[in-house]
Amino acid sequence: MTKITGIIAEFNPFHKGHQYLLEQADGVKIVAMSGNWMQRGEPAFIDKWTRAEMALQNGADLVVELPVLVAVQGADYFAAGAVEILRTLGVDELLFGTENDEKTDYQRISEIYAAKSMEMAAYLAALPELMSYPAKAERMWSHFAEVKFDGGTPNHILGLAYAKAASKTNIRLRTVQRETNYNDTVLSGSLASATAIRHNWTKAQDVVPENCWDLLQNAPKTSWADFWELLRYKIISTLDLTQIYQVNIELASRIKASIKQAQNLEELIELVYTKRYTKGHIRRILVYILLNIRRDFTLPEQVHVLGFTSAGQKVLANARGKLCTRIGKFPWDLQTQRADDIYRLGNQKMKEQAFGRKPLRS
């Protein structure tokens, strides 16, 4: 039986580092990709269909979408939702890039978590309430698995979340060394971070695959700046922010007070965040407010297909009944579809993102 390798990605936008990751994957290559809203709490630089096309042109056999309430989550929930989608599609191995490729045995860590998950959960619960969740997680992993952190390894942190999620499945873990810094804003050499490309996209020809260059240049672009006034309106006009997912009374009060002073998103985040509520957490909460994500959300039962090759089509044939291949008379995920409609408000040139769209074929 042909091996199926899964990759969890944002491709925001796709670049040569992503191309290299796909080249290292074996067998049929399935990408579970964030849609139009990102894990760190921001709109996608270019839309999900364009990014799916980039992936299919560079080695992916099947691209499926992470629902917005999987894509815009902290590491643990992001990983759990994405791994569950890959498990549904029969993935054998999860491949991911990490800054700690040579230092960390993620498969061993996954096995430790499988054996000690109850103890680890109890350890987390006993830590001081005012600690941020990332700080608690770092202490837990250090205590149970002797994992070290240096504060600048977001892919390593995601890798640990993948280890937790995969511990409940038969999916094995394999890594490749990440060669760029996640937060680099300067283009240099033939590899660059997605952050650097977003900052310098008109000059990024050397760091994206040749077949992606025109797609990158011609795609409508968005950023948080395009949604700032809409976010301000949502915060001011919403009487009770605590009805929004993950907003408690303290955060609601801080956000309501701070929106009167902030002139832009970054100023708002600086005013709201604390040691307990990290900047990443606040960014995600602001997305929830913008998208009107309520506390009683549910995740879709089906997997939304964005595109496939002939090899990917064979995987789809084995997953009949679990797939959404066209959003029409019946919805796939109303929250994600609403999020797509709001995303289009950021750029008038943005095409329809949900209704009637068929999977890309490559």
Side-chain angles (χ1 to χ4, degrees):
M1 180 177 286
T2 303
K3 181 179 180 179
I4 303 177
T5 297
I7 292 172
I8 300 167
E10 293 185 330
F11 295 159
N12 186 40
F14 194 92
H15 55 66
K16 287 183 178 178
H18 299 136
Q19 183 185 45
Y20 176 76
L21 180 64
L22 280 165
E23 289 171 352
Q24 305 312 302
D26 301 323
V28 179
K29 305 169 187 181
I30 299 179
V31 177
M33 189 185 76
S34 298
N36 287 324
W37 297 89
M38 302 289 100
Q39 196 260 340
R40 66 184 295 180
E42 63 185 10
F45 183 58
I46 56 178
D47 72 274
K48 62 189 178 185
W49 297 97
T50 303
R51 287 163 24 240
E53 184 175 356
M54 290 175 167
L56 290 168
Q57 290 186 7
N58 288 278
D61 292 306
L62 173 60
V63 182
V64 298
E65 180 177 3
L66 300 181
V68 67
L69 259 298
V70 171
V72 188
Q73 289 277 15
D76 283 354
Y77 287 104
F78 175 86
V83 167
E84 175 58 21
I85 288 171
L86 293 178
R87 186 199 64 77
T88 298
L89 296 172
V91 162
D92 302 300
E93 180 177 84
L94 174 60
L95 179 70
F96 58 95
T98 173
E99 305 90 344
N100 287 38
D101 180 42
E102 297 176 355
K103 303 176 184 177
T104 308
D105 184 344
Y106 292 94
Q107 188 60 47
R108 181 186 71 87
I109 290 172
S110 184
E111 292 163 3
I112 289 173
Y113 187 80
K116 299 184 177 182
S117 59
M118 297 293 287
E119 294 174 57
M120 295 168 85
Y123 181 87
L124 274 179
L127 291 174
E129 185 178 351
L130 293 180
M131 285 181 68
S132 69
Y133 182 79
K136 290 181 180 181
E138 288 186 15
R139 189 171 294 187
M140 179 195 75
W141 286 118
S142 177
H143 179 80
F144 285 92
E146 298 181 347
V147 174
K148 305 301 180 186
F149 297 84
D150 64 12
T153 54
N155 290 85
H156 173 47
I157 292 169
L158 267 179
L160 296 172
Y162 295 150
K164 285 179 66 175
S167 71
K168 305 172 185 177
T169 73
N170 294 321
I171 297 174
R172 304 286 294 178
L173 304 176
R174 184 163 67 90
T175 64
V176 297
Q177 181 69 37
R178 182 181 172 92
E179 300 294 342
T180 59
N181 187 305
Y182 179 79
N183 289 314
D184 277 348
T185 59
V186 178
L187 296 174
S188 61
S190 61
L191 291 177
S193 70
T195 302
I197 295 171
R198 292 194 298 273
H199 279 76
N200 307 275
W201 61 272
T202 60
K203 303 175 182 178
Q205 189 164 8
D206 291 340
V207 297
V208 300
E210 185 176 352
N211 57 17
C212 292
W213 178 242
D214 287 342
L215 289 169
L216 175 63
Q217 295 303 299
N218 296 328
K221 315 292 190 301
T222 67
S223 71
W224 250 122
D226 300 311
F227 299 93
W228 168 243
E229 291 301 328
L230 181 57
L231 175 65
R232 289 185 69 233
Y233 169 79
K234 284 288 295 180
I235 293 172
I236 293 169
S237 63
T238 301
L239 294 179
D240 185 4
L241 286 176
T242 64
Q243 297 303 307
I244 300 296
Y245 177 55
Q246 291 194 348
V247 180
N248 58 26
I249 294 174
E250 179 187 0
L251 280 174
S253 177
R254 293 182 67 85
I255 291 169
K256 282 283 191 179
S258 299
I259 198 64
K260 297 177 181 179
Q261 304 175 48
Q263 299 299 308
N264 54 52
L265 182 86
E266 295 306 322
E267 286 188 16
L268 179 60
I269 293 171
E270 286 291 335
L271 289 167
V272 174
Y273 96 100
T274 66
K275 288 184 178 180
R276 182 182 181 187
Y277 304 114
T278 66
K279 291 183 179 181
H281 182 62
I282 299 303
R283 281 181 176 274
R284 286 188 288 273
I285 280 179
L286 295 178
V287 170
Y288 303 151
I289 294 172
L290 178 69
L291 303 182
N292 198 37
I293 302 296
R294 317 297 280 189
R295 291 180 174 275
D296 57 349
F297 74 88
T298 57
L299 293 176
E301 296 180 0
Q302 294 182 312
V303 178
H304 185 217
V305 180
L306 295 175
F308 57 86
T309 66
S310 57
Q313 191 170 17
K314 295 177 182 178
V315 175
L316 297 178
N318 294 326
R320 288 195 181 102
K322 304 175 183 177
L323 307 171
C324 174
T325 54
R326 183 176 182 179
I327 299 169
K329 181 178 180 181
F330 300 103
W332 165 57
D333 177 28
L334 289 174
Q335 290 170 131
T336 301
Q337 291 167 228
R338 183 175 64 219
D340 284 343
D341 287 340
I342 294 172
Y343 177 73
R344 292 182 66 200
L345 297 176
N347 191 315
Q348 293 183 350
K349 295 180 180 179
M350 196 72 65
K351 295 180 180 179
E352 170 64 45
Q353 292 294 297
F355 187 80
R357 293 291 296 258
K358 298 179 180 179
L360 304 168
R361 298 195 180 200
S362 180

